[in-house]
Each structure stands twice: as C-alpha cells, then as structure tokens.
Amino acid sequence: MPAPAETSCPRCGAPRTASDSSTGVCPRCLIGVGLDESLADGAQTPEPGTGTSPFHLDAPAEIGPYRLLKPLGEGGMGVVYLAEQTEPIRRRVALKLIKLGMDTTRVIARFDLERQTLALMRHPNIAGVLDAGVTRDGRPYFVMELVDGVPITDYCDTNCVDLRGRLDLFLQACDAIQHAHQKGMIHRDVKPSNLLVTEEDGRPMVKAIDFGIARAIGSHTRGATLSTGRDVLLGTPEFMSPEQAGGTDREVDTRTDVYALGAVLYQLLAGVLPFDRGGLRGLDLAEIRRRIQEEDPPSPGSRLAALEEEATSIATARGSTPSVLRRALRGDLDWIVMKALEREPSRRYGSPRELAADILRHLEGRPVLAGPPSLGYRLGKFVRRHRAGAAAVAALAVFLVVLAVMQAAQARRLARERDRANRESEAASAVSRFLVDLFELSSPEKARGETIPAREILDRGAARIENDLADQPELQARLMGTVGSVYKKMGLFADAEPLLQRSGDLNARLLGEDHPDTIGSLLQMADLRFSQGKLAEAEEALRDAATRGRRGLGESHPDTLSALADLAVILHFQGRMDEAEAQYREALALRTAHLGADAPGTLETVNNLATLYYASGRLTEAEPLLRRALEGRRRNLGHDHPESLDSLINLAVILQTLARLEEAEAYSREAVEIGRRIRPDHPKTLVSLNNLASILESRDKLPEAEEAYREALDTLRRTVGEEHADTLTTAGNLGDLYLNMGRLEEAGDLLVPMMEAVRRTQPPVHLVTGYSLRKYGRWLAHSGRLDEALPVLTEAERVLTLVAGPDHLHTRRAREALAELEGLRRP
C-alpha cells in the first residue's frame, strides 16, 4: 500500500491541515476509535486467499492455524475478523489483528496490553482469549471466543423486553465490568455494541467484549504506563465520561466505566442516548469535550416526556405505554441513572458493584442510595448558578417554609387515613354481625332439622338488607352489591339485577360518581348485562366506568384496568373486531405493566385476545396464547377454577377447528367434567357441553352429540332464556345435526325460530349471525326452497369472510354449503 501524502490522514486518506493534531490524524478519525465502526454499506466480504479486505489492510488469508473468512468490525488499532481454526480442533473464532500502518511502538504496546488484559480475565460474562501470536510480518494478533450475539439494546428492543428484564441483563453487564476492575483493568469503551447478548440454554447472557482501549489500573500488567494525548479521544463520545473526554489518563479510574454504564442504562430505559448521536457526532473535538464536561443530560423520564411520536414505539418495545413507562422511570430509576452520570466522579457510584446494588434495592422495593439529592446539595447548585442574588437567609427561609408545608400535609394525610380506617373497621364489624345472623338461620336450633338451601338463605338476606339496614345506607349498598354478585355467579340474573342497580345508585349518591365503590358497582352491572346478552347496555356501563376510573382512580387502578379489559370483550362480542383488538392490546400492555405477566387479570386478557384471534381465523396466533393462559391459570388458581375452565374450553375449540379432533375431545370432556363439579347448570358448563357435542358430531358420534346438544339447549333455555347468544348457538347446532341426520322437520322446528331471534338480537356482521345464516340456508336448500336459500347462503359467506377471514372453518363451511346448493339445483 503506498504511503499517504503528507497532507492526507494516514488512517482514512482524507485531506488535513498541519494543525489538526500532533499525530497527523484528521479530527474525524480522532473521535470514537473504539470498535463501534461497522462495515461500510455495500462493503464486500473478501474471499479467502485474495489478500484484500474492505479496510484496505492487505490482511493475509491465513494466520497460523486460522483462516480469515470476513471482517466483523474495525477499531482504532485493529480489525476483528471471523476466522476458522483448522487445527488441533475445528471451530469458528474472532481474530483481532493490528492494522497495517498502525504498528508503532505505542500502538503495539496498547494492543499487547489488551491481549494481556483479556488473558487475565475468566468470567462467564466476558468473552475469553483463546490464543495469541504475531504474523510473519510482525503484526500482533489474538484470538477470542466468537460471540454470536447482538448489542444489549437491540436484543431488548427486538424481543420487547420489559423494564425488569432489561435491568436483569444490565446487572450481568455490571458484574462483567466489576470483574475487569478486580483484575486491574478499566474498559473505557463500555457501550451497547460491546455488551452483546447471546442465548444459552434458552436464557439471555451478556458478554462484554473489546477491551481494546482498556487502561491498566495496577502495576502488574506490562504497558500500564501508556497514556493518551490531549488531542485524541479514545472511546465513544455518547458514552464517554467528562474526565475521559479531558484526555488525561491520571483522571480516569473505575468511575469512568460507571459513567458509561449509566449511559447504557439510560438508553435501555428511555430508548434514547443522554447526548443524542446527532448532537455530538457533527461537532468538532473542542465542542464535544465542552458538552460532555459542562452539560448535564435530562433525566430519562424527562427525556421520554419530551418525545412525541417516538415515545409510543419506545414504550411498546418495553411492553408498556408512554404514560406507564414515564411513571416507572420517575423516582428510583431516574435517580440511579443520574447518579451514575454525575459529571463529578466523586458524586458517582464508586464501582459497577455499587451501581448494581442500588438497582437491586429498587427491584426489591427498598430505598435506593441515589435517592433524591439532599436539599443542601440542590441549594448549593442554585447558589453557584445565581451567586449574585443568593443569600444564606433566603436559603434558610425556603427550607423552613418547605419543611412546614411538608409537615402540615403529612398531618392531614395521617388524619384522613385514621378516619378511613375507623370507618372500614366499623363497616367490617357490621358486615360480620349481619353474616353471623344470616347463617344462624341454618343452625340446628333455628332450622329445627330442616335443610335450608343456599338460595333461600340468600333470599332472606336480601330482604333483611332492604328492611333492617335502611338507616345505614353505606353498609346497605355494600351488602346489596355482595349479595347481588353472588346471585349473578349462581346464574340467577333476575334476582341479581335489582340489588346491583340499587347498590350502584346508593354509592353514587353517598360517595360520589368517581368513588371506587361506585365504579365497582358499574363493573358489576356491566358484567350482569353481558351475561344477560344486553351488550349495548354493558358497553355503556363499561365506558362510563373507564372514564370515571381514569379520572378518579388513575390508569393503574385495578378497577380502571378491569373496565378497559372488559370493554374489549363487549366490542368483540358485538363483532367490532378491529376496535376490540386495539382495546385488548391496550388492556394487555397496561395489565402487564401494572399487575405482572402472570397475574390473573393479565392472563384473562391473554385468554380473551386468543378468542378474538380464533373468531378472526388467526388460529396459529390463538393456540399459544390459550396454552399460556391455561397453564398460568391452573398454576395460580387451580384446575377447577372457572377461569381455568374458560381457557380449557377455548383451547378445545381451537383444536377442533385445527382438525385435531382426538385432542379436542379429550380437553372438552375434561371441561364438561370440571363444569359439572362446579354446577351442572352453570353457563360455563353448558358452553363446554355444547362444544363437546360439536366435536362428537365431527367425529361421527351422532347419538352422543344429540344427547349433549339437547341437554345443553334445555338447560340454557331455562337459565338464560330463548334469545341468549349461547342458546341460539346451541339451537342452531342441534338443528344442523338433525339436518345431517335427515330429520328435516325437527331441524326446521329449531332453525326457523333461531334465525328469527338472531336477526332481532345479534349484529348483522357477527360470527353468531354468520354461522346461523349458513345453517338456516342449508335447511332451506334441503327443504326444496332453493331460490330462498341462495341469498341466505351468499350472505352467510360474506359475513363470515368479513368477521373471520376467508380461510376460517366457518367460512369454508359456508362455501361448501353454496357448492351443496349448486348441486341440488342441477337437474
């Protein structure tokens, strides 16, 4: 390679002036000479044996037992290659070779220092050194473990890792850098691209790489006296501490790496850099130093609040929403990051271990050492900024006023808490006395040998609430809500309705529209309306509850979260699939952020989103969600819990649609068995019985299917009424079975009134409407009413395509019915 002209940079060949630096290197090449430079766009990987590379280094094709395959990255001193070792074992490794033209005494000494540094370290989170040597032309190289990973920030964003998962990975990075410090080395180029994440046994593992600009902090390592000139920045500006930017080695210690770790943590949490890339990379060397040494970045929470459209994608990558993420960063995490990024080293954490310990305190719910800065420290910074107008008397006055206000607020809060606790205690005592009196009805002395069923006890209790507690309206409202909820869970909707309505009216009048008890009453009433099939009324109640919850309780309150999640269900059942999916996703993100991924409410939303995917024909997306919900619910709630039963029923339906009938029948029989243990006439039991009948029909077990359909239909008519969606679905299924068995008259007795009720009660574009049209249209066709059947079956196909997609089982069956009709029309 010819030597560059005197007026060109020896590293990149760009024109320079004599005043650029004493090393002769242009300013661009003096900035960020760590291994963060990736291959240029369009660079070609050299073929083995060609002796060329995109870095123009004339690297040999082979070095010892290593064959160079392609360059992986370039740093200030060397190039890292993907290489293949041929003997004594065959494996792929990373080989770092010093650049041609960079083999000065100083650079070789620094390169040799890195080689010795890595050889000293043995840690699961640090890439190990495997070999070292020199090429035939005297250039040093060393061979490292090949880390097939991605930068820690890219891994977290790609996999939508939540804040807890990001902090766990960051703790691994702290452990790696702490180990390096214990071995006497400072990394000095800690950044995401030098903290790679791989997966080992299915778990993410951080690997720290590239100690290429590390500086010895002990005397046992040869080359420990190397220094860096004032005209060179060794490191990456966005992650560089103020003292490192100053360019004097004696100011650099372990706290330099703490600063860089703080910048990495900032990006992991807030999705942006403390000093954004565009803000530093376009500046000259002096301005970069000035910004790093004199300016303080905003806290992560403040920075996120200033973002607009970008904030949504950042929060989504963390399984959250912008408002939830901002609240999560506010407080501990903001304090921890800003302590790590203090410009004065003495104010930072003393080591990565201290930084990690404060993160663990946050995760464990203990006070963090970072904490909010003391009043004295804040006042001190104020005085330094406004020396002319600051005075000790003014500072003392501010302190006393703030202290007095805080004490007064604390006293008021304690008084409110005491009064609330007293009221709750009195209410609890009254409820206890009421329940004791109520259940004494079944005691031997009062029952006189008779067995009094739970229904009768509830009826007597409801009457006593109305009559005996008229002078205690708050207690009356609470007990009405409780007894009404019990009636509802027993499927006794007509008995539940007046109690729940009265409870809500009392709570609104006594406690206010936005009180938790009032919002709770709205949720109970919405649940009842849903169970009655009154979907529009349920939607109205839930939208009201969500609005009041956000206004009065906050977005993270369980009742607000319930209102948002239940609203998605109502939209789903009304066939408004796009609205429902968006609502499900919002509810799932909020519940995951506030309750946790395995909380009952979160799993409920997972289950419900899966049912929407099923209704939309997205079966491969639905099945894993249902298995996750089923496993989580059984683990947390038990196999016989109604919520576990929901997921079991839904999974059986998915498997049936996927034509895995044997598996579906086994799950469905288990669901029926569990439902009958809960209560034979419970709606969930009847849904599982209807589903089992459908699977039996698919397996040509027609007598068993008829028996199961008939049992479910008779019980549904008695408990939820003739026009409930479950009743109509079951009637349609039984009518279709009769049609397939050739029992045309019996099929018509079911399908004609079913279709009339569907048109009255169901939306025109809905899954129930679509498959009801298909069954009714088939009956018309087999009854010889071919001209009437055609528009009905055409409408069925259109509705099911819109709701479930062209490939869903029900849509395919509608097309089959049209083909069947065409066959009947032929002479």
Side-chain angles (χ1 to χ4, degrees):
M1 178 186 294
E6 179 123 351
T7 57
S8 299
C9 172
R11 191 169 297 165
C12 68
R16 66 172 182 82
T17 63
S19 60
D20 280 338
S21 73
S22 61
T23 65
V25 180
C26 71
R28 178 64 185 87
C29 290
L30 293 176
I31 299 173
V33 298
L35 290 181
D36 67 329
E37 302 297 331
S38 59
L39 294 174
D41 291 341
Q44 298 298 312
T45 300
E47 293 296 327
T50 62
T52 62
S53 83
F55 303 113
H56 310 295
L57 298 176
D58 293 325
E62 294 185 353
I63 298 176
Y66 306 100
R67 183 165 63 93
L68 303 190
L69 300 178
K70 66 177 180 179
L72 297 176
E74 179 184 15
M77 295 179 296
V79 179
V80 177
Y81 291 90
L82 172 66
E84 185 174 56
Q85 182 179 357
T86 55
E87 58 181 29
I89 60 174
R90 194 176 190 89
R91 60 181 171 182
R92 290 199 168 189
V93 296
L95 186 148
K96 185 171 182 180
L97 176 67
I98 200 165
K99 285 183 180 180
L100 191 65
M102 293 294 291
D103 48 352
T104 64
T105 302
R106 174 190 297 271
V107 173
I108 290 176
R110 186 177 295 282
F111 190 93
D112 190 50
L113 171 61
E114 179 183 9
R115 187 169 62 186
Q116 295 183 57
T117 298
L118 286 170
L120 286 171
M121 290 184 281
R122 294 288 184 272
H123 191 277
N125 296 116
I126 297 178
V129 171
L130 306 175
D131 192 9
V134 293
T135 63
R136 291 177 181 175
D137 58 358
R139 283 189 284 165
Y141 71 88
F142 64 91
V143 181
M144 299 172 288
E145 167 192 354
L146 179 63
V147 180
D148 185 16
V150 296
I152 187 171
T153 47
D154 293 350
Y155 177 87
C156 290
D157 290 346
T158 301
N159 293 280
C160 293
V161 179
D162 61 15
L163 289 187
R164 175 59 191 253
R166 290 168 185 256
L167 292 175
D168 287 341
L169 287 174
F170 182 74
L171 289 174
Q172 292 185 36
C174 290
D175 198 27
I177 303 304
Q178 178 69 34
H179 178 78
H181 291 176
Q182 290 171 338
K183 294 298 182 180
M185 297 307 303
I186 306 168
H187 192 291
R188 294 210 304 179
D189 198 21
V190 177
K191 57 188 176 184
S193 59
N194 283 339
L195 298 171
L196 302 183
V197 179
T198 65
E199 291 197 349
E200 297 183 8
D201 298 326
R203 298 180 60 189
M205 173 73 75
V206 174
K207 291 279 188 179
I209 64 169
D210 198 0
F211 285 73
I213 56 173
R215 172 182 181 270
I217 55 177
S219 58
H220 63 283
T221 308
R222 185 162 59 86
T225 58
L226 290 174
S227 62
T228 303
R230 290 282 302 176
D231 57 352
V232 178
L233 286 182
L234 281 178
T236 305
E238 290 83 5
F239 300 90
M240 186 179 295
S241 68
E243 64 271 18
Q244 187 176 353
T248 56
D249 280 357
R250 64 178 176 273
E251 296 175 359
V252 174
D253 60 20
T254 57
R255 293 169 296 186
T256 292
D257 284 347
V258 169
Y259 183 97
L261 284 167
V264 172
L265 181 58
Y266 194 113
Q267 189 174 5
L268 279 171
L269 298 177
V272 290
L273 292 161
F275 297 103
D276 62 84
R277 180 171 292 272
L280 289 182
R281 287 288 166 148
L283 305 176
D284 60 28
L285 187 59
E287 180 61 16
I288 289 174
R289 281 194 169 120
R290 187 199 68 76
R291 286 198 65 183
I292 294 174
Q293 293 179 314
E294 297 181 13
E295 294 185 11
D296 291 321
S299 68
S302 300
R303 183 71 179 281
L304 187 67
L307 299 174
E308 296 179 358
E309 294 181 4
E310 192 178 356
T312 300
S313 61
I314 289 171
T316 300
R318 287 148 181 80
S320 187
T321 63
S323 60
V324 172
L325 183 58
R326 283 194 295 271
R327 285 197 295 272
L329 297 182
R330 193 181 304 139
D332 285 1
L333 293 177
D334 271 348
W335 298 336
I336 289 170
V337 171
M338 298 313 291
K339 182 175 178 65
L341 292 178
E342 282 281 3
R343 281 188 287 127
E344 298 177 31
S346 62
R347 294 194 181 278
R348 285 179 220 147
Y349 296 101
S351 67
R353 177 176 292 159
E354 289 184 14
L355 169 58
D358 230 10
I359 290 173
L360 285 171
R361 290 186 189 93
H362 163 71
L363 293 176
E364 293 168 358
R366 295 185 288 131
V368 298
L369 297 184
S374 66
L375 182 60
Y377 177 63
R378 289 201 303 271
L379 289 175
K381 296 193 80 170
F382 178 84
V383 169
R384 284 193 294 274
R385 289 197 305 270
H386 308 89
R387 288 190 175 123
V393 174
L396 179 61
V398 170
F399 173 76
L400 292 174
V401 168
V402 170
L403 184 62
V405 170
M406 290 176 63
Q407 288 179 330
Q410 179 76 353
R412 287 195 298 271
R413 186 183 67 80
L414 290 174
R416 286 195 302 270
E417 289 294 320
R418 183 187 62 245
D419 293 343
R420 185 187 64 80
N422 288 338
R423 288 195 303 272
E424 289 294 327
S425 177
E426 292 172 2
S429 297
V431 170
S432 177
R433 290 194 301 272
F434 176 84
L435 293 176
V436 169
D437 291 346
L438 184 60
F439 283 96
E440 276 187 350
L441 291 170
S442 60
S443 66
E445 295 83 0
K446 296 192 176 182
R448 300 181 184 277
E450 296 181 12
T451 299
I452 301 180
R455 167 68 185 271
E456 185 175 342
I457 293 176
L458 279 176
D459 291 344
R460 294 185 186 183
R464 288 191 58 184
I465 292 169
E466 184 68 39
N467 299 325
D468 297 355
L469 301 177
D471 59 341
Q472 300 179 65
E474 286 191 34
L475 180 59
Q476 189 180 46
R478 180 174 300 188
L479 285 171
M480 282 180 170
T482 301
V483 174
S485 179
V486 174
Y487 273 130
K488 186 264 166 191
K489 289 179 180 178
M490 294 176 66
L492 304 171
F493 303 141
D495 297 287
E497 184 171 354
L499 289 170
L500 294 178
Q501 186 66 58
R502 176 74 170 141
S503 173
D505 293 343
L506 284 171
N507 282 328
R509 178 169 58 83
L510 298 169
L511 305 174
E513 296 286 339
D514 297 343
H515 191 276
D517 289 355
T518 307
I519 296 170
S521 296
L522 275 173
L523 292 175
Q524 287 183 317
M525 184 56 71
D527 189 31
L528 175 65
R529 295 303 186 207
F530 173 69
S531 298
Q532 293 172 318
K534 301 176 180 179
L535 302 183
E537 294 177 47
E539 180 185 352
E540 181 182 359
L542 286 169
R543 291 194 182 278
D544 195 6
T547 300
R548 295 187 193 183
R550 278 179 159 149
R551 183 175 63 218
L553 307 179
E555 196 171 62
S556 63
H557 193 278
D559 285 350
T560 308
L561 297 175
S562 292
L564 294 170
D566 291 348
L567 178 59
V569 177
I570 297 301
L571 295 171
H572 176 182
F573 271 77
Q574 293 181 82
R576 293 149 64 181
M577 297 304 191
D578 290 342
E579 291 178 74
E581 182 173 0
Q583 189 67 38
Y584 274 135
R585 289 189 173 280
E586 179 188 5
L588 182 57
L590 289 170
R591 281 184 153 174
T592 301
H594 294 300
L595 306 178
D598 214 27
T602 307
L603 293 173
E604 175 190 63
T605 307
V606 170
N607 174 86
N608 294 342
L609 178 59
T611 65
L612 179 135
Y613 285 157
Y614 164 75
S616 303
R618 295 153 66 179
L619 305 181
T620 56
E621 294 175 79
E623 183 185 353
L625 285 178
L626 279 174
R627 291 193 182 277
R628 172 186 162 191
L630 179 61
E631 291 165 6
R633 284 173 157 181
R634 284 184 159 178
R635 184 170 56 250
N636 296 326
L637 304 173
H639 283 235
D640 286 2
H641 194 280
E643 292 180 14
S644 302
L645 181 58
D646 273 341
S647 295
L648 184 63
I649 292 169
N650 294 336
L651 181 58
V653 172
I654 292 288
L655 294 171
Q656 179 189 9
T657 309
L658 290 168
R660 289 151 62 181
L661 298 180
E662 184 175 354
E663 205 178 345
E665 182 178 342
Y667 279 120
S668 197
R669 286 191 183 278
E670 183 183 0
V672 170
E673 181 182 344
I674 292 172
R676 282 175 168 157
R677 284 202 300 267
I678 294 173
R679 207 184 80 227
D681 61 350
H682 193 280
K684 294 184 192 303
T685 308
L686 303 176
V687 168
S688 61
L689 189 61
N690 177 76
N691 292 344
L692 174 61
S694 176
I695 295 167
L696 292 170
E697 181 181 0
S698 299
R699 303 196 72 188
D700 291 326
K701 300 179 180 181
L702 302 185
E704 288 184 77
E706 179 185 359
E707 182 182 353
Y709 277 140
R710 177 55 67 186
E711 179 185 348
L713 180 60
D714 291 344
T715 310
L716 282 165
R717 284 171 167 169
R718 187 177 69 252
T719 56
V720 297
E722 292 279 354
E723 296 190 347
H724 191 278
D726 290 344
T727 309
L728 298 174
T729 299
T730 306
N733 290 343
L734 181 56
D736 206 39
L737 173 67
Y738 284 153
L739 185 61
N740 293 334
M741 296 171 73
R743 295 156 65 176
L744 196 61
E745 185 177 351
E746 291 173 272
D749 290 342
L750 288 167
L751 293 173
V752 172
M754 172 215 70
M755 197 66 247
E756 292 172 352
V758 165
R759 293 190 187 281
R760 282 196 305 273
T761 62
Q762 300 301 312
V765 179
H766 191 271
L767 191 63
V768 172
T769 305
Y771 56 65
S772 297
L773 284 165
R774 176 184 65 82
K775 294 166 186 175
Y776 178 63
R778 286 191 69 228
W779 176 80
L780 288 172
H782 282 270
S783 299
R785 298 158 65 177
L786 304 183
D787 291 340
E788 293 178 68
L790 179 60
V792 173
L793 291 174
T794 302
E795 178 69 2
E797 184 190 23
R798 185 189 73 84
V799 171
L800 290 168
T801 301
L802 288 173
V803 174
D807 298 323
H808 192 278
L809 173 66
H810 289 304
T811 311
R812 295 200 308 270
R813 286 180 175 173
R815 287 198 295 270
E816 290 167 4
L818 279 167
E820 183 183 31
L821 173 63
E822 185 62 27
L824 292 172
R825 292 171 69 92
R826 292 195 190 102

